[in-house]
Amino acid sequence: MSSSPDASEKKVFQDGTSDDAVLEQLGYTQELKRSFGLIGMVGFAFSIVTSWTALSGVVIIGVESGGPPIMVWGWLAVCVVTLAVAYSMAEMCSAYPVAGGQYSWVAILAPQQWARGLSYVCGWFMLIGILCMGATNNFIAGNYVLGIAQLNHPDFTIQRWHSVLVTYLIAWVAAASNIFIPHYLNRISKGILIWNIASFFICVITILATNDHKQNSSFVFREFQNSTGFNASYTAILGLVQSAFGMCCYDAPSHMVEEIKNARKEAPRAIVMSVYLGAVTGFIFLISLCFCMGDIESTAGTSTGVPVIEIFYNSTGSVAGASVLSALIAVIALVCANSLMAEGSRAVYAFARDHGLPFSQTLSKVSAKRHVPVYAVLLTMVVQMAFNSIYFGTVTGFNTVVCIATEGFYLSYAMPMLARILAYVTGKKHRLEGPYSLGRYGLALNIIGFIYLTFFSITFNFPTISPVDSENMNYTSAAVGAVMMISAITWITTGRKRFTGPEAGNMLDMGRREEVAATEPKVS
């Protein structure tokens, strides 16, 4: 979508302004190497969004909370509304292409008296979402590895410590590849895009062709399943959490924007394209899984710990066949760990560059040789491992990590949209002038996206099993409260004095002025 501003209005940046010049005018120095093109960035984003494999990792949620009808129809509903969020974020990314992403946009778009505080809180939610999602993906990837081993060796019993140690190894390998071979990240992203799409077709075609005892259409599209102990309406809402988790993380290009060529055009396209790819592949894969699903209780209670592996085995009737299909997904999850490590470290780097974290001076350093924020990568790895360590003590505790990962993302997505809505209400509205502009549709999509994100941010806090006790309680609300308390304390003690946010280089002022000469020098 695009629109042309009135002739009397001047854009913040001229269309021909280079990526590095844009970043300089935003108050930052180009330190990271621009190596990504559109295809590489779509591959990078889709390796993280990769909805069909993400859905496979949390399919148990949908199986128990509404069953196939909620999984299928809920997915369609979530994808449609997600596009409103994706288009809104693409427009913001095109107008202000800086690695801070959401929290930078909040600072620019929010009313001035609230901008720095809201930006700071948004930065914390953004970071906690990305870091928790990295830990969650490591756990899913580890489950596939251990699940394949258990399928081939039925006497092997998976223990919690097995899962945790495998996640440690995955985090370590992802960090090492980010530090020592960052120049291959674009090539890896292109390769995994091909692998991802090819694996999707192989998995779907194989299970549909080999399964001779498929479920009927009524089971897939109409028969409601409920193992939660709650009433049907509440259970249906819980079932949507699977879809909300499956369609997440599409902000990835905004955090890699300082490493993309022609960033103001290509990064927004990558955001939107990754959502479309995720929506189509996720919908087809969900229907295929539902038709090929065996007994629900057997699927949910599989000894492999991964219901999708059980569905593969139920369809093919072959350990080797199920192992190969599962291995295809495992590779995608492992590469996703590498991509989330990159995204997380760039988010840490950006927030530290704006003095939003303790030890910001160290965390914002970029290796002159490798053009990578090494200390930010190491911190990302350590935090992911810390979250994975929770599984040593409790399954419920780690399930909370899954919920807080998704809620962290959703809250950080909602805040820049709220900022733009508030600016409109207070009469401080202004155009977002980038190559990827929504024109008069922008505000409407912001409102739709904000309502959707707010609804799910509340839903993530609901208990999932009745009766509720200390073992199955959803502690997400407590975790969110802890994040808010930490951000409030750090804001009071250091943040309000040290956090520059994207205000550096007069960025806040730039976002509010009606007219800015593109050649005007910036003071940094």
Side-chain angles (χ1 to χ4, degrees), residues 68 71-72 215 219-220 285-293 311:
M71 294 164 65
V72 173
Q215 298 283 359
F219 173 83
V220 176
F285 189 62
L286 272 178
I287 292 179
S288 302
L289 287 182
C290 292
F291 270 111
C292 296
M293 188 181 298
I311 295 174

Side-chain angles (χ1 to χ4, degrees), residues 140-279:
I140 291 174
N143 277 352
Y144 268 99
V145 172
L146 292 172
I148 294 171
Q150 200 285 328
L151 181 66
N152 285 269
H153 303 280
D155 294 334
F156 171 53
T157 302
I158 301 174
Q159 304 291 339
R160 288 185 191 175
W161 64 271
H162 296 152
S163 300
V164 176
L165 291 183
V166 172
T167 63
Y168 286 174
L169 178 60
I170 293 170
W172 185 87
V173 172
S177 64
N178 267 268
I179 292 173
F180 296 108
I181 54 172
H183 49 290
Y184 286 112
L185 192 55
N186 183 46
R187 296 181 185 178
I188 292 173
S189 298
K190 290 180 180 178
I192 199 59
L193 178 61
I194 297 172
W195 179 283
N196 207 327
I197 295 175
S199 298
F200 163 74
F201 282 110
I202 291 171
C203 288
V204 168
I205 292 172
T206 300
I207 62 176
L208 290 177
T210 58
N211 191 309
D212 57 1
H213 49 284
K214 297 181 180 67
Q215 298 283 359
N216 56 45
S217 60
S218 178
F219 173 83
V220 176
F221 299 111
R222 292 195 296 273
E223 292 181 11
F224 190 84
Q225 308 289 335
N226 188 355
S227 302
T228 66
F230 292 107
N231 62 49
S233 299
Y234 183 92
T235 299
I237 293 175
L238 292 179
L240 292 174
V241 172
Q242 180 204 21
S243 297
F245 176 85
M247 184 53 76
C248 193
C249 308
Y250 41 88
D251 62 315
S254 70
H255 301 296
M256 303 297 292
V257 73
E258 294 176 28
E259 298 172 62
I260 306 174
K261 301 172 184 176
N262 198 13
R264 302 183 71 207
K265 291 184 178 179
E266 308 302 8
R269 289 173 181 171
I271 290 174
V272 174
M273 289 177 66
S274 66
V275 172
Y276 275 111
L277 278 173

Side-chain angles (χ1 to χ4, degrees), residues 393-412:
T394 170
V395 175
T396 303
F398 190 76
N399 289 343
T400 298
V401 175
V402 177
C403 288
I404 191 60
T406 315
E407 179 151 4
F409 270 111
Y410 273 46
L411 287 172
S412 72

